[in-house]
Amino acid sequence: MKQHLQLHTGQEMPLLGLGTWNSPPGEVARAVEHALLRANYDHIDCAKVYGNEPEIGGAFQQVFSSGKRKRTDVFITSKLWNTDHDPADVAAACRQTLADLQLEYLDLYLMHWGVAFKQGVGDKPMGRDGEMELASVPLVDTWRAMEQLVEEGLVKAIGVANFGVAQLLDLLTYANIKPAVNQVELHPYNSQPQLVAFCQRHDVQLTGYSPLGSPGLSGHQIRLLDEPVLVSIAAAHGKTPAQVALNWNAARNVVVIPKSTTPERIDQNGQIFDFELTPEEREQIDVLNRNYRFVNPAVPWGLPYFA
Ligand code: A2P
C-alpha cells in the first residue's frame, strides 16, 4: 500500500502522521521522540493553539541533533490560530511557531478555521452573549499573508482546515497559491464523501483529524472503536479496529493523524500499511457514515460553523 501522497507543490506528504491535539506538555515530547526514533513516523501534526509547541520543539531538537533523523526526512505541519488572521499578525504567528518548534521552516502551514476571532483576550474570546467574538478580517486578506510566507521561505506549502466546499470554491477563485491540503474531521462515522471527492478533483489533498473518533473526548455516547463492523473486520485481518479505521482512510488517499501519547498505541497506529481491505469490507465501512462530528464548535464557541 502506498504511504505517501504528492501535493501540488511536488512535496511528498506521508499518509500517516502523529497528531498532537490534547497531548499534554508533560507527555508530548516523549510521544514525538518515540514516534520519530522508534516507530518510524515521518510526519508530525502540530498547532499553536494546542499549547504544546515549545515542548514539541524540544523533542525536535533532541531528535535532529542526535543525527538519527534529518529535518528534511520529516514532514511537519502547524496551523495559524483564529486570533492571528489579521495580515499584520500572520508572519509573527508563524515565526512564533517556528521559534517554539525550533525549526527554520514548516512543510505545511494551515489556516486552522475559516473564521477570524477578536484579538487581545486569549485564544477563545468568548463574548458575554455566549458567542465567540469575531474580527472583521476577510479570508482573502489572511490567505494573501499566508502566500507571503511561502515567498519568504518560512513554509513550503499552505492550506486550510475545517473548510467546506463553499469556502473552498471562494478560496480557489482568488488563491495565487492554491491550498495544498484541507484538514477536516474524517473517520467512518463522518466520512464526508462529497467533500473528499471535491477536494481530490481540485488537487487539494485531505488530512483527516480525529481518525479514531477521538475516544479521549468527553461528552460523546458514540464510540467509533467499538463499532461491530470495525471489530469484525479487524479480527479477520488480525488487526485492531483502530488500525482498520486508519487503513480505510489511507486507502482512499486521506492522510491520517491519530493522536496518542502511549508508546504501544503509537507503534500500533504505525502498522497500518501491511494489510489490504477487500472491496466488500471497504463498502461495509463506507456505509457506516452518519455525519457524526466529534469536533463541533457550535456549542463551545456559540457558533454554528458547520450549519
Ligand atoms: P492515548 O493518547 O492515551 O493513547 P483521535 O486521533 O481520533 O483524536 O484519537 C485520539 C485518542 O485515541 C486518544 O485518547 C488516544 O489515547 C486514543 N488512541 C490512540 N491510538 C489508539 C489505539 N490504537 N487504540 C485505542 N485508542 C487509541
Side-chain angles (χ1 to χ4, degrees), residues 280-294:
E280 294 73 30
E281 288 169 335
R282 303 190 47 71
E283 170 65 20
Q284 279 179 283
I285 300 175
D286 289 346
V287 299
L288 295 175
N289 184 35
R290 44 173 105 169
N291 303 326
Y292 188 85
R293 291 181 188 276
F294 290 97

Side-chain angles (χ1 to χ4, degrees), residues 60-176:
F60 286 153
Q61 171 61 23
Q62 282 282 113
V63 169
F64 298 136
S65 66
S66 75
K68 291 182 186 141
R69 296 300 296 266
K70 288 209 298 259
R71 167 67 186 95
T72 46
D73 294 339
V74 182
F75 191 100
I76 302 173
T77 302
S78 186
K79 312 186 190 84
L80 177 81
W81 184 242
N82 308 350
T83 47
D84 296 322
H85 272 218
D86 191 298
D89 300 323
V90 170
C94 182
R95 286 182 193 282
Q96 182 64 54
T97 275
L98 287 169
D100 287 345
L101 293 176
Q102 304 194 41
L103 301 176
E104 284 175 6
Y105 70 93
L106 294 170
D107 296 278
L108 178 64
Y109 197 49
L110 304 178
M111 190 188 303
H112 208 145
W113 293 84
V115 59
F117 288 176
K118 189 176 157 184
Q119 255 200 345
V121 268
D123 289 337
K124 304 195 179 97
M126 185 55 85
R128 262 187 257 141
D129 61 356
E131 183 179 311
M132 207 58 76
E133 295 213 53
L134 306 179
S136 297
V137 185
L139 297 180
V140 57
D141 293 355
T142 308
W143 191 252
R144 289 278 175 263
M146 290 179 68
E147 289 176 334
Q148 199 55 41
L149 302 176
V150 179
E151 305 300 332
E152 289 172 23
L154 298 184
V155 308
K156 298 222 182 280
I158 50 176
V160 292
N162 297 298
F163 268 45
V165 170
Q167 287 167 310
L168 283 166
L169 279 171
D170 190 43
L171 175 57
L172 291 170
T173 63
Y174 58 74
N176 295 322

